[in-house]
Amino acid sequence: MDESNFFDTVSLSQIPSQKRRSFNKDYMSLSRNTIYHSAVDLDAIEIGDMPKKKEVKNWKSFSSDDLSVDFVLAYEQDTDTDKLKKRETFEANLKEVGLLLEKEERQRIHFVKIHVPKDVICQYAELLKLRLPLKDPDHIHTSENFVTSVINKCLDFINVRLDERKFPPKKNKLRADFSRDKFYLFDMDAPDFFNPSVRITVVSYILEREKFGADFHDRGIKTLLTDNIYKAAYPLHDGDLNQNGSMRKLLFEEWAAVSKLVKYQPVDDIKDYFGVKFALYFAWLGFYTHMLIPASIVGLLSPLYGWFTYSTDRLSQDICQLDVTMCPLCDKVCTFWKLNEGCTYSRIAHFIDNPMTIFFAVFMSVWATIYLELWKRYSAEITHRWGLTGFDLQAEPPRPEYLTRLHNAKKKKLNVVTLLDEPAVSFWKVKLPSIIFSFSIAILWICLAIATVVGVVIYRMAFVSSDSVYGDKTSYRIYAVPITAALINLVCIVILNLGYDRLAEILTEMELQRTQTEYEDSLALKIYMFQFVNYYSSIFYIAFLKGKFVGYPSKYNRVFGYRQEECNPGGCLMELTIQLTIIMIGNQAINSILEMVLPLVFKIYNTITIKTGLKTNDNSQIVSCNQWTEDYKLNSMDNKSLFIEYLEMVLQYGFVTIFVTAFPLAPLFALINNMLEMRLDAKKFIKYFRRPVPQRVKDIGVWMPLMNIVGRISVVSNAFIIAFSSNFIPKLVYMLKINKSHTDEGYLNHSLAYFNVNDFPNHRAPLSNPWNVTICRYAEYRNPPDHEYKYKRPVEYWHILAARLAFIVVYQNLVTFITTVIEWVIPDIPRRLSDQIKREAYKTNETIINYERERAKEKFKHNRDSILSGDSVYTDVFDVNGAAANFSERDNLHHRNTHSTTTEL
């Protein structure tokens, strides 16, 4: 075909402006796509070399009609006849369903614009069980109680509430499942009744199910995208970031701006723009961030208490002032050292390990329970406001991949919600074995991650015992231990993460999860289990294992012949704090940078490759002369976009709760991070990503039970950290039982055991003894060398161990009792909301009954008038129901398609 005859195959930027002006009419007459009403926006291109958006007609609509573009398919024209045939078949099926299509082929990237008519929306809104607002002149008004009124006044005073002029409050309307038989109940003539979110949902559902070939597997837009038949499929943004009056610009300026980080989020408008799933994530993140404020305030009290009392702390004073010679830290090459070398370390440790830590640990355990219970109440309120009360997973349509794999299934099962027969597999013979196999592989991979941590620990032990490291103290190899160990751990984590993420998707696909929500929940559980081990295993090692089973100088407990690492005489809590600080703050900083840099880099890369055609042999540029070309350059939005955000926040929640005893400032750093995270995530999704397809969800999914489990783990973890990693219990036993004056004076001397240097094994004794030391000390509870049972455990050790175990039992039961009472006192659904739901259900039924009564009266009146006038009753009845006929002229034409769609479900 001669390209010179068709303007739509030539780059607009390669044609001079004068020639472009003269060529415009020729292109209109020579367009080869008249069936699809192509040649859009050409009058705008006459204005100059590059079109200006404010001068472009039809920036987001069809060229011939004022029809909105609800969805766009993009592809590159090629000579592959098989791809062309599949595209034509797919688009023909879309038109047969009732969608209106218009092609634009005047640039290298071709676009298929899709508009969904009103009758098709009604058909699929009923099929998808969408809850839409009823005609109700009397809106539901919720009265404020005294407490709510006071809180709102305080919020107005500190100016954190939204500007109602920019974000008008949404009216609470009665909702019901849409039904075409009862169309008269719904205000379908309202301009925002079928809002863009509903339109996009309907088109997306049709695209995922329509066929493009003879085989049953040849269906769905996802398969076409995977096979590169289409380059992209996406809904359009509401204008660009500079278009006045667009919701996108309003959200970008009033929600995504960092300067608005103290403001509330417009969650209702976020729901209308991005869908329930995205809005629920940001609502949860905002609620979690607000709940971190009291935790941050109380967390500051612990280091502040340490700051004001460090000068009176007896333990740190004794470490700094007493002349105590300690036993060597390694075999042979290490020599004796002075305890006061750890003076600074012990003083810093007091900021964390002080009596205030116990109160903070109990507070955080109670806080975690209150946070989860209040979130249940808040989420119940917003999901009801969004029309999701009573929404069930069974009402969610099956995944296209699920239907494709089960298209030959002979077994059918009735869906009790939709009352449709769906393909099903045997739970005991097929689904359960696949789930067991899937999680078995996941657990095996988790064991590999644990083995990696064990390997790094052994590597550190080997270096500690190495003559080549400590033999020459000036050698750079002394610093190789932490650096190389961290690098090895990092490389192993990255490799395992890359492999496991893909493996988890394959394993989850094997489980035959029916809905997208079930699929994502199973995938989240597998990946979180692995990430939990990856992030926390080294921290658990320091908290619960390091320095606990070392032994004593004449008989150290060894692993593969290597001596274990020891804690400082002040305990391992400070080292745990350092580890937590580096991992948590460093990880948050890196993620925040990557979340903003990577989307920007990908967008720039996409823009360059699309404009210059680097990925193809065609070097023609793409001119942005409408919204679909603008959005094509953005990054695609997939189902894992929110998954990554949830994973990052739930991992942070683990740092805030599980190890908060060792890092009281964790809630404060989490608060600062999340305030920025909300706005940066919003900016990222609005500016660098295409608009997502709205999805209905009733809650945040598997992340809620995961946080509940983390809260339970945190109670046990903090109890063990206080009991075994801090000096709280040994010091308490010393003060109550051993010291007659009931003070901590002399506690340090009591906690250090004596060792006779002559008892060193010959092949383990230090090579040099410059101070002629005969007795050295080590941090343990053991009998002195002159005791009848030398180096054995004294009775004080067993008293301390019993006290530690008793503390764990008392702490755990006390916190569990408090949290249970809180869960019982705070119901998941507020009583006010429960009453409101009942009242709305009653009012909905009354509305339906009243409409039916009025219709019956009107029908009786027309029948009587027809009889009295002698006209045909059937004619008058038809006229009465004429609205139903006008409601959808194409209803009968699509009856067959509806029936086939129902059968496939």
Side-chain angles (χ1 to χ4, degrees):
M1 186 176 292
D2 187 6
E3 291 186 356
S4 62
N5 294 330
F6 296 96
F7 182 54
D8 53 10
T9 60
V10 183
S11 170
L12 299 180
S13 62
Q14 293 177 347
I15 302 177
S17 59
Q18 284 286 15
K19 189 175 181 180
R20 203 178 316 157
R21 297 189 184 99
S22 62
F23 243 53
N24 187 31
K25 293 184 178 180
D26 295 335
Y27 170 63
M28 291 289 288
S29 61
L30 292 175
S31 175
R32 55 186 173 183
N33 303 298
T34 54
I35 296 178
Y36 291 91
H37 313 291
S38 187
V40 296
D41 302 333
L42 294 180
D43 53 344
I45 301 178
E46 293 182 5
I47 297 174
D49 290 342
M50 292 297 291
K52 297 180 180 179
K53 296 168 188 175
K54 64 181 179 180
E55 298 166 332
V56 175
K57 305 175 180 178
N58 309 326
W59 182 259
K60 297 189 300 178
S61 61
F62 279 30
S63 57
S64 58
D65 300 308
D66 190 19
L67 299 176
S68 62
V69 178
D70 300 316
F71 223 91
V72 171
L73 306 178
Y75 65 93
E76 281 186 332
Q77 186 65 45
D78 50 40
T79 58
D80 192 332
T81 56
D82 182 58
K83 290 184 178 181
L84 178 61
K85 182 179 179 181
K86 289 181 178 179
R87 276 197 299 266
E88 291 176 347
T89 303
F90 185 68
E91 292 166 11
N93 289 335
L94 295 180
K95 290 192 292 181
E96 186 178 354
V97 171
L99 299 181
L100 301 182
L101 273 64
E102 179 180 85
K103 274 192 176 180
E104 178 187 313
E105 296 185 338
R106 59 192 178 87
Q107 301 196 62
R108 175 171 53 82
I109 301 296
H110 297 176
F111 299 94
V112 179
K113 297 171 285 182
I114 301 175
H115 173 80
V116 53
K118 189 174 183 179
D119 57 329
V120 179
I121 299 178
C122 295
Q123 175 184 337
Y124 282 91
E126 182 178 8
L127 183 65
L128 295 173
K129 303 291 183 182
L130 298 181
R131 293 179 61 85
L132 299 177
L134 298 172
K135 287 181 181 177
D136 182 23
D138 299 325
H139 298 288
I140 299 296
H141 298 284
T142 56
S143 59
E144 292 184 352
N145 54 33
F146 175 76
V147 177
T148 305
S149 177
V150 172
I151 293 176
N152 288 335
K153 289 181 179 179
C154 295
L155 295 176
D156 291 334
F157 178 76
I158 59 179
N159 195 26
V160 298
R161 301 182 72 184
L162 294 171
D163 187 351
E164 294 187 358
R165 294 172 298 178
K166 298 178 180 178
F167 297 101
K170 303 291 183 181
K171 295 180 180 179
N172 190 10
K173 298 180 179 180
L174 294 177
R175 294 176 179 268
D177 291 346
F178 183 80
S179 173
R180 289 180 291 174
D181 295 336
K182 294 181 175 60
F183 67 93
Y184 49 84
L185 297 174
F186 302 91
D187 190 11
M188 297 180 59
D189 295 329
D192 60 342
F193 182 77
F194 291 127
N195 56 34
S197 179
V198 174
R199 307 177 71 89
I200 293 170
T201 300
V202 170
V203 177
S204 175
Y205 180 77
I206 296 174
L207 292 176
E208 289 178 355
R209 298 185 52 78
E210 284 306 313
K211 300 181 67 175
F212 56 85
D215 190 85
F216 184 88
H217 296 273
D218 296 338
R219 64 173 58 222
I221 188 63
K222 291 182 180 179
T223 306
L224 292 171
L225 292 172
T226 303
D227 296 340
N228 204 30
I229 296 174
Y230 285 103
K231 304 291 291 184
Y234 53 93
L236 296 182
H237 273 296
D238 180 29
D240 61 14
L241 300 177
N242 300 314
Q243 182 176 343
N244 294 326
S246 69
M247 180 57 67
R248 187 185 183 191
K249 180 183 179 182
L250 180 62
L251 290 175
F252 185 76
E253 293 179 347
E254 299 296 327
W255 172 47
V258 178
S259 59
K260 308 289 184 179
L261 58 84
V262 298
K263 291 279 190 178
Y264 277 7
Q265 299 182 100
V267 290
D268 292 323
D269 297 273
I270 298 171
K271 187 268 297 182
D272 292 338
Y273 194 83
F274 289 103
V276 174
K277 189 174 183 179
F278 269 75
L280 203 56
Y281 162 73
F282 282 104
W284 168 75
L285 181 58
F287 182 85
Y288 168 52
T289 303
H290 280 87
M291 286 295 295
L292 285 172
I293 296 177
S296 302
I297 295 174
V298 179
L300 281 172
L301 298 180
S302 181
L304 286 177
Y305 179 87
W307 173 266
F308 289 114
T309 60
Y310 88 96
S311 60
T312 60
D313 179 50
R314 176 65 60 179
L315 178 61
S316 59
Q317 289 181 359
D318 289 346
I319 290 177
C320 295
Q321 297 174 4
L322 295 181
D323 184 17
V324 178
T325 303
M326 303 296 294
C327 297
L329 295 175
C330 68
D331 298 332
K332 298 176 64 175
V333 296
C334 293
T335 187
F336 303 96
W337 58 285
K338 295 295 184 180
L339 180 61
N340 55 21
E341 294 177 13
C343 176
T344 304
Y345 182 96
S346 64
R347 287 182 174 176
I348 297 176
H350 179 66
F351 286 87
I352 307 299
D353 189 5
N354 57 66
M356 188 65 191
T357 305
I358 310 300
F359 168 77
F360 183 58
V362 176
F363 172 84
M364 287 303 297
S365 298
V366 175
W367 172 89
T369 303
I370 296 177
Y371 150 68
L372 293 177
E373 292 302 313
L374 292 181
W375 164 247
K376 291 177 185 177
R377 293 167 61 89
Y378 178 67
S379 63
E381 292 180 357
I382 59 176
T383 52
H384 173 70
R385 189 166 73 239
W386 295 341
L388 293 171
T389 299
F391 177 74
D392 190 87
L393 278 180
Q394 293 298 317
E396 186 177 351
R399 299 171 58 236
E401 297 86 349
Y402 173 82
L403 294 176
T404 301
R405 294 188 61 186
L406 298 183
H407 74 283
N408 290 327
K410 297 180 180 179
K411 183 180 179 181
K412 300 291 182 178
K413 184 179 180 181
L414 178 67
N415 189 317
V416 296
V417 177
T418 61
L419 299 180
L420 301 173
D421 286 330
E422 297 181 0
V425 294
S426 173
F427 176 80
W428 298 104
K429 295 181 179 180
V430 179
K431 198 165 185 179
L432 181 60
S434 63
I435 293 176
I436 293 175
F437 175 77
S438 174
F439 277 90
S440 298
I441 300 299
I443 292 173
L444 175 62
W445 210 269
I446 290 172
C447 292
L448 290 177
I450 296 175
T452 301
V453 175
V454 173
V456 173
V457 171
I458 294 175
Y459 170 79
R460 293 167 61 96
M461 293 179 185
F463 258 85
V464 170
S465 303
S466 175
D467 294 352
S468 60
V469 174
Y470 287 96
D472 180 11
K473 293 185 179 181
T474 62
S475 172
Y476 70 91
R477 286 173 291 185
I478 266 187
Y479 305 100
V481 178
I483 297 175
T484 56
L487 289 176
I488 292 173
N489 198 12
L490 177 62
V491 171
C492 292
I493 288 175
V494 171
I495 293 175
L496 290 175
N497 273 341
L498 292 176
Y500 184 78
D501 286 349
R502 179 56 184 158
L503 177 65
E505 294 180 6
I506 297 174
L507 294 175
T508 307
E509 195 66 48
M510 292 172 53
E511 297 174 5
L512 296 174
Q513 300 291 350
R514 174 183 170 272
T515 64
Q516 185 66 31
T517 301
E518 293 172 343
Y519 174 86
E520 292 178 2
D521 287 351
S522 180
L523 179 64
L525 181 59
K526 293 184 188 67
I527 294 184
Y528 182 76
M529 287 168 55
F530 180 76
Q531 294 283 13
F532 186 94
V533 174
N534 246 359
Y535 277 90
Y536 301 150
S537 54
S538 61
I539 301 175
F540 273 110
Y541 163 73
I542 297 175
F544 305 128
L545 296 178
K546 183 176 179 180
K548 303 300 185 295
F549 311 100
V550 176
Y552 53 98
S554 63
K555 190 180 179 181
Y556 282 116
N557 298 320
R558 302 179 185 272
V559 178
F560 297 105
Y562 300 118
R563 177 175 164 182
Q564 297 182 41
E565 296 179 284
E566 298 181 43
C567 292
N568 188 279
C572 285
L573 192 61
M574 187 59 197
E575 185 176 353
L576 180 62
T577 302
I578 296 172
Q579 185 86 353
L580 279 166
T581 305
I582 294 174
I583 293 178
M584 180 180 173
I585 299 178
N587 182 62
Q588 289 181 348
I590 293 174
N591 285 337
S592 298
I593 294 173
L594 291 180
E595 284 183 2
M596 293 308 300
V597 172
L598 290 182
L600 176 61
V601 171
F602 289 145
K603 181 181 181 296
I604 294 175
Y605 174 75
N606 290 339
T607 303
I608 294 174
T609 54
I610 291 169
K611 282 189 174 182
T612 60
L614 293 178
K615 291 184 177 180
T616 63
N617 295 325
D618 187 359
N619 292 325
S620 59
Q621 296 184 9
I622 298 297
V623 178
S624 297
C625 53
N626 41 49
Q627 190 64 53
W628 45 92
T629 53
E630 278 283 319
D631 290 357
Y632 182 73
K633 302 172 186 176
L634 302 177
N635 302 313
S636 61
M637 185 81 70
D638 54 24
N639 292 323
K640 292 188 64 177
S641 299
L642 280 184
F643 172 83
I644 297 173
E645 305 297 337
Y646 271 117
L647 179 63
E648 179 185 350
M649 289 295 103
V650 175
L651 286 172
Q652 179 203 88
Y653 180 75
F655 286 116
V656 170
T657 55
I658 297 178
F659 307 105
V660 72
T661 303
F663 190 24
L665 295 180
L668 177 61
F669 284 105
L671 173 64
I672 297 172
N673 173 81
N674 292 359
M675 292 177 67
L676 296 174
E677 180 80 13
M678 275 190 296
R679 309 302 167 171
L680 295 180
D681 282 348
K683 181 178 181 180
K684 175 179 64 176
F685 289 132
I686 292 176
K687 187 175 183 179
Y688 300 124
F689 283 88
R690 297 169 187 159
R691 189 172 183 172
V693 175
Q695 297 183 38
R696 290 181 297 166
V697 293
K698 63 178 181 178
D699 49 39
I700 61 176
V702 73
W703 304 109
M704 185 66 184
L706 281 177
M707 286 190 291
N708 196 13
I709 294 173
V710 169
R712 304 296 182 185
I713 295 175
S714 68
V715 176
V716 181
S717 173
N718 286 310
F720 272 88
I721 290 175
I722 295 172
F724 288 96
S725 295
S726 73
N727 291 307
F728 175 75
I729 300 298
K731 188 183 295 186
L732 185 65
V733 172
Y734 175 80
M735 295 169 61
L736 295 178
K737 188 173 180 62
I738 298 174
N739 192 343
K740 295 180 180 180
S741 61
H742 302 298
T743 64
D744 60 350
E745 186 177 358
Y747 165 72
L748 176 63
N749 187 64
H750 179 264
S751 65
L752 298 177
Y754 293 86
F755 181 76
N756 191 332
V757 298
N758 295 324
D759 292 334
F760 274 119
N762 292 331
H763 61 288
R764 305 290 185 184
L767 299 177
S768 62
N769 188 356
W771 300 326
N772 295 321
V773 177
T774 57
I775 297 293
C776 63
R777 311 290 295 273
Y778 59 100
E780 267 282 12
Y781 285 95
R782 292 188 179 273
N783 292 324
D786 57 352
H787 196 274
E788 180 182 3
Y789 302 101
K790 68 176 182 179
Y791 306 136
K792 299 298 181 181
R793 297 291 189 185
V795 67
E796 290 86 354
Y797 169 81
W798 302 109
H799 289 164
I800 293 173
L801 179 61
R804 282 171 167 166
L805 297 177
F807 171 81
I808 293 173
V809 173
V810 172
Y811 179 91
Q812 185 174 355
N813 283 277
L814 175 63
V815 173
T816 302
F817 173 76
I818 296 174
T819 54
T820 303
V821 171
I822 293 173
E823 291 174 353
W824 178 74
V825 171
I826 304 177
D828 293 347
I829 299 178
R831 179 179 298 179
R832 176 181 54 82
L833 178 61
S834 179
D835 294 340
Q836 180 180 337
I837 292 174
K838 295 176 183 177
R839 186 168 63 253
E840 290 181 3
Y842 170 77
K843 191 169 183 180
T844 301
N845 291 332
E846 287 295 308
T847 303
I848 295 175
I849 292 173
N850 291 336
Y851 271 109
E852 293 290 351
R853 184 186 298 116
E854 293 299 324
R855 280 172 54 84
K857 289 180 180 179
E858 189 72 19
K859 181 178 179 180
F860 175 76
K861 178 181 178 182
H862 277 273
N863 289 345
R864 185 182 62 181
D865 293 343
S866 299
I867 294 174
L868 294 176
S869 63
D871 295 336
S872 170
V873 175
Y874 300 103
T875 303
D876 288 337
V877 173
F878 181 81
D879 292 340
V880 172
N881 296 327
N886 294 329
F887 163 66
S888 175
E889 296 179 358
R890 309 175 68 167
D891 192 44
N892 292 330
L893 295 176
H894 301 311
H895 176 73
R896 178 176 58 83
N897 296 324
T898 307
H899 177 71
S900 62
T901 303
T902 304
T903 304
E904 291 172 2
L905 274 174

